[in-house]
Amino acid sequence: MNVVASTAYRIFGRGVRERSEKHRKLRTKMRKARIPVPIDQYLSSAYLYSLTAGLATAIAGIYAGLHIAGDVSIPSDITAPPFVEVHLTELLSSAAGLLLFTLVFYITYFVFTAIPATKANVRKSFIDQSLPHATAYLYALSRGGGMNLFEIFKSLSSYAHVYGAAAEEFGYIVKDMEYFDHDLITALRTASERTASVQLKDFLDGLVSIVSSGGDVTAYLKSKTDQHRSAATREQRNFLETLGILAEVYISVFVVGPLFMMTILAVLGLVSSGTTIILYVLVYAIIPFGTVLFLILLSMISGESKAPPRTYVAEKELNVFYDVRVKPPSEEYAKLIKRIRFYKKLSGLLDALTHFFRLMRYKPAYAFLISIPLAIAYLATHTHGLGQLNIGTSIGLMRAETIETVTSVDDVIFVAALLILIPFIIFYELRSIRIRKIEDQIPEFLKRLASINAAGILLVDAIAMVAKSKIGILHSDVKRMVEDVSWGTNLVVALKKFEYRIRTGMTSRVITLIVKASESTSDVRSVLNIAATDADVQKQMKTERSAEMFVYVFIIYIAFFVFLFTVYILVVYFLGAMPQSMDEAVEGLPIASGFDMAEYTMLFFHAALVQGFCSGLVAGKMGSGHVAAGLKHSVILMLVSYGVFTILI
């Protein structure tokens, strides 16, 4: 408990505890959201933060009323007591402060009480998405008969980074049994009460009935695995429909809306000054900030899985010979160990430098180590006029030389942005293509292993036989796995190295399942078939999503081209045909004194670039579920915008 939480608990803790029965629903939501804070402590902190925010806003409101609003007088036809007439400003400021305090206090408190429900709903979606894979894991390990339910739950919970939130829920069952000495049925019932997922609650309730009655757990897990796979397919259809609605919302609010506003502001700018400031806010603030919020919303509903761990082997301290006395290392021995560690780090650095392109293929973010310095060097050699930039006292009244300087710098900044993004995009797309090909071939690879293993051949020999056949892009990695085994490496370690080299969500789940099955069960063929079916379902769902989302990505492209075409018409045929000064104005067509064609051209050019970059990110997030995948769309749309403004305008 930190200082703020401790102070809040001392002030409000007793009062909250006395009214604890009124907050049962909030306590339930907090348990489902896995917020590890007692209800009285959480509400005490909520009261303290609400009170602090309310007081700060009230003080700011009173200060603004006293020093900004100025003196306020009562109309002559209204009679008021002398005290009110003398202190009218103070009274109104105090009333405004009280109103602000009440409003901000309740808003802050409402936000605190709504957070658990929001987190519970987000966690529910995460559990539902990972539950089909978790139940497949439970079914595969239970079919061989080598492990009981507790051991299977414990094994699943250790792979929460692979199987997601559903594995975490089973981890809580294990903790209840290990640390609180609950039996299996009690732990299952407790987990059923506190989970945020209705599907998981139904699964646990059914499992309680099966275990209590001594039924066939394996048959139950098989039926639930099939049921959850069908449910996952339906959930994805609903999810795709939701994405379709969100795509229409984005186009309406962040593409058509800004275009409509820009058109109106361009017309108003011809007859009145001061409208350009709204254009600046729209282009440089509203469109980017709104896109960021929209991407956050997409991330919340899509539920991206956690990143896998960096190493495939967890380092553990050797304590087998803890009772054997060990001589302290000599000075020469310590220097030798230090030298070995140094040369090991140096060897890793040299390997990364000599095979940098291979490193970028596996980790495209390393491309920024080259592209960013290259872009900085380009900026340093091509922005000699940047020091002459002088924006004046008002953005809306920028001088002509300032607009010209900004326009000249635009080209340099745009090229620098391309230098930063294009190398990353190339290596990211190469990696994405490789992952896509691997995941397409994983189900067939597992089916071949299962068919060979069904003939009585060991899994090690089956892998060696498959490596001799044509298996596409997997051939080199499978052959390397066979070589590891031939050199004396354990099959489990070789499989983990294989999974570490590929590093995809599908392969992590599949290899984890095969590794645990080979360690604990004798029916490896059935496990391979289960893993192949699970991988095939994942592949079909990804294919369906890509096909559905391609339509909305295409719609985003069309919407942006409409945006760009409208901006082009405004700049060339509407604003370009208008008189550029008061001297050129014709009778009946007044031109505002602050109208500057160069400034409007610059704003529309920046609007096209910003809109293209933002639309590309949204298209990538919708199409593949990753923002980084949208950078290629952003570069394409920005290049089209740049070409239109530099060639046609």
Side-chain angles (χ1 to χ4, degrees):
M1 187 184 298
N2 56 29
V3 177
V4 177
S6 177
T7 304
Y9 188 74
R10 291 177 181 178
I11 298 174
F12 303 103
R14 183 176 180 180
V16 172
R17 285 196 306 271
E18 292 175 353
R19 299 190 303 272
S20 59
E21 294 298 325
K22 297 181 180 179
H23 305 293
R24 287 185 177 179
K25 292 183 178 180
L26 182 61
R27 183 188 292 109
T28 303
K29 291 294 183 182
M30 290 180 63
R31 293 184 66 188
K32 292 182 177 181
R34 302 299 181 189
I35 298 178
V37 178
I39 181 67
D40 49 355
Q41 179 184 335
Y42 184 82
L43 286 178
S44 298
S45 300
Y47 281 125
L48 181 61
Y49 282 112
S50 301
L51 184 62
T52 304
L55 288 175
T57 310
I59 293 172
I62 293 174
Y63 178 83
L66 293 176
H67 295 84
I68 298 177
D71 295 331
V72 180
S73 60
I74 299 177
S76 57
D77 56 342
I78 299 177
T79 58
F83 177 80
V84 175
E85 292 181 354
V86 175
H87 301 284
L88 180 61
T89 303
E90 291 81 357
L91 292 174
L92 291 177
S93 300
S94 301
L98 180 61
L99 179 62
L100 288 174
F101 170 80
T102 305
L103 185 63
V104 172
F105 178 87
Y106 280 105
I107 289 176
T108 307
Y109 182 76
F110 173 78
V111 169
F112 267 89
T113 55
I115 287 175
T118 304
K119 286 189 174 182
N121 290 332
V122 173
R123 184 169 181 80
K124 172 185 175 299
S125 64
F126 290 172
I127 294 173
D128 291 342
Q129 290 174 16
S130 57
L131 188 57
H133 310 302
T135 53
Y137 183 92
L138 297 175
Y139 167 55
L141 293 190
S142 67
R143 180 159 181 170
M147 302 174 66
N148 57 37
L149 275 179
F150 173 75
E151 292 173 342
I152 296 174
F153 290 166
K154 190 172 183 178
S155 174
L156 176 61
S157 64
S158 63
Y159 296 104
H161 60 278
V162 177
Y163 287 93
E168 294 178 0
E169 293 291 316
F170 287 98
Y172 288 109
I173 298 175
V174 174
K175 289 180 181 178
D176 286 344
M177 298 178 67
E178 286 186 334
Y179 297 106
F180 299 104
D181 201 23
H182 291 175
D183 60 274
L184 179 60
I185 295 178
T186 304
L188 290 173
R189 286 174 177 168
T190 304
S192 174
E193 292 175 358
R194 68 189 174 196
T195 184
S197 171
V198 178
Q199 292 187 27
L200 181 58
K201 176 178 174 58
D202 177 68
F203 172 79
L204 294 175
D205 290 339
L207 191 59
V208 168
S209 301
I210 294 296
V211 174
S212 302
S213 61
D216 190 349
V217 176
T218 303
Y220 174 76
L221 292 175
K222 181 181 184 303
S223 64
K224 280 298 181 180
T225 300
D226 297 336
Q227 178 183 339
H228 288 151
R229 283 171 180 168
S230 301
T233 305
R234 294 193 301 269
E235 288 282 338
Q236 176 164 278
R237 293 195 186 99
N238 296 333
F239 172 70
L240 294 178
E241 292 178 0
T242 304
L243 281 184
I245 296 173
L246 290 177
E248 296 174 359
V249 170
Y250 175 78
I251 293 171
S252 301
V253 176
F254 297 107
V255 179
V256 178
L259 180 61
F260 179 73
M261 290 293 299
M262 289 172 61
T263 305
I264 294 177
L265 292 173
V267 175
L268 293 178
L270 295 174
V271 296
S272 63
S273 59
T275 59
T276 53
I277 186 64
I278 305 177
L279 272 176
Y280 277 97
V281 174
L282 179 66
V283 173
Y284 302 118
I286 294 179
I287 296 177
F289 184 70
T291 302
V292 170
L293 292 180
F294 189 79
L295 291 174
I296 293 174
L297 176 62
L298 288 178
S299 299
M300 290 177 62
I301 67 172
S302 61
E304 294 181 358
S305 59
K306 297 181 180 179
R310 293 187 177 183
T311 57
Y312 65 91
V313 178
E315 295 184 359
K316 296 182 179 180
E317 184 180 357
L318 183 65
N319 59 358
V320 178
F321 305 103
Y322 65 92
D323 55 341
V324 178
R325 294 183 180 181
V326 180
K327 292 182 179 180
S330 62
E331 185 177 353
E332 182 180 358
Y333 185 70
K335 289 182 179 179
L336 181 61
I337 293 177
K338 187 176 181 180
R339 190 181 304 171
I340 291 173
R341 290 177 177 174
F342 171 76
Y343 280 112
K344 184 178 180 181
K345 292 181 180 179
L346 182 62
S347 175
L349 179 61
L350 291 177
D351 182 69
L353 293 176
T354 54
H355 302 88
F356 196 70
F357 286 98
R358 184 182 65 184
L359 182 64
M360 288 188 292
R361 283 180 56 198
Y362 287 95
K363 296 181 180 180
Y366 281 107
F368 290 124
L369 297 178
I370 295 178
S371 61
I372 291 179
L374 184 63
I376 292 175
Y378 178 81
L379 286 173
T381 56
H382 290 78
T383 54
H384 302 293
L386 187 60
Q388 303 174 0
L389 185 61
N390 183 15
I391 304 181
T393 57
S394 175
I395 296 179
L397 301 176
M398 296 177 69
R399 294 193 298 270
E401 59 270 19
T402 305
I403 299 294
E404 184 179 355
T405 304
V406 173
T407 304
S408 62
V409 172
D410 281 342
D411 299 334
V412 179
I413 295 177
F414 180 75
V415 174
L418 293 181
L419 290 176
I420 293 175
L421 295 177
I422 288 178
F424 172 79
I425 292 172
I426 292 174
F427 288 103
Y428 182 86
E429 291 303 318
L430 289 175
R431 181 176 178 272
S432 299
I433 293 171
R434 179 176 179 271
I435 290 175
R436 197 179 305 118
K437 290 181 178 178
I438 288 174
E439 292 186 344
D440 287 343
Q441 294 174 0
I442 283 290
E444 182 63 27
F445 170 68
L446 294 175
K447 290 176 182 177
R448 289 188 185 183
L449 284 181
S451 61
I452 296 174
N453 183 256
I457 300 175
L458 295 177
L459 182 59
V460 179
D461 299 328
I463 294 174
M465 293 179 64
V466 172
K468 296 178 181 179
S469 60
K470 295 181 180 180
I471 50 177
I473 196 172
L474 284 176
H475 179 75
S476 60
D477 290 299
V478 174
K479 187 177 179 181
R480 187 173 173 182
M481 180 169 55
V482 174
E483 292 175 353
D484 289 339
V485 174
S486 64
W487 280 93
T489 304
N490 186 282
L491 177 61
V492 172
V493 177
L495 285 170
K496 289 181 178 179
K497 287 184 177 181
F498 172 74
E499 181 267 330
Y500 181 72
R501 289 193 297 268
I502 296 178
R503 309 301 282 165
T504 69
M506 178 189 294
T507 54
S508 295
R509 284 188 286 267
V510 167
I511 298 301
T512 299
L513 181 57
I514 295 174
V515 166
K516 293 304 298 182
S518 63
E519 293 176 346
S520 57
T521 68
S522 58
D523 193 3
V524 180
R525 180 179 63 86
S526 300
V527 174
L528 291 173
N529 286 326
I530 294 170
T533 304
D534 190 42
D536 201 21
V537 170
Q538 295 179 57
K539 174 185 173 182
Q540 292 176 3
M541 291 178 66
K542 283 191 174 183
T543 304
E544 182 182 355
R545 170 170 176 162
S546 299
E548 290 286 339
M549 286 297 100
F550 175 78
V551 178
Y552 296 106
V553 172
F554 181 74
I555 291 175
I556 289 177
Y557 266 80
I558 295 299
F560 173 77
F561 288 139
V562 171
F563 176 91
L564 186 61
F565 177 75
T566 306
V567 168
Y568 170 77
I569 295 297
L570 282 174
V571 173
V572 175
Y573 294 101
F574 182 71
L575 296 179
M578 292 295 172
Q580 304 301 309
S581 65
M582 296 294 294
D583 298 333
E584 299 177 5
V586 298
E587 185 178 356
L589 185 63
I591 301 298
S593 58
F595 176 76
D596 189 345
M597 181 62 188
E599 182 178 10
Y600 275 92
T601 303
M602 181 199 70
L603 280 172
F604 286 160
F605 174 53
H606 290 177
L609 292 179
V610 171
Q611 187 66 62
F613 183 78
C614 295
S615 297
L617 295 182
V618 173
K621 183 65 178 177
M622 286 192 167
S624 61
H626 299 281
V627 176
L631 289 176
K632 63 178 180 294
H633 302 297
S634 298
V635 168
I636 292 173
L637 297 180
M638 290 170 65
L639 283 172
V640 173
S641 303
Y642 184 80
V644 168
F645 273 84
T646 54
I647 297 175
L648 301 180
I649 297 179

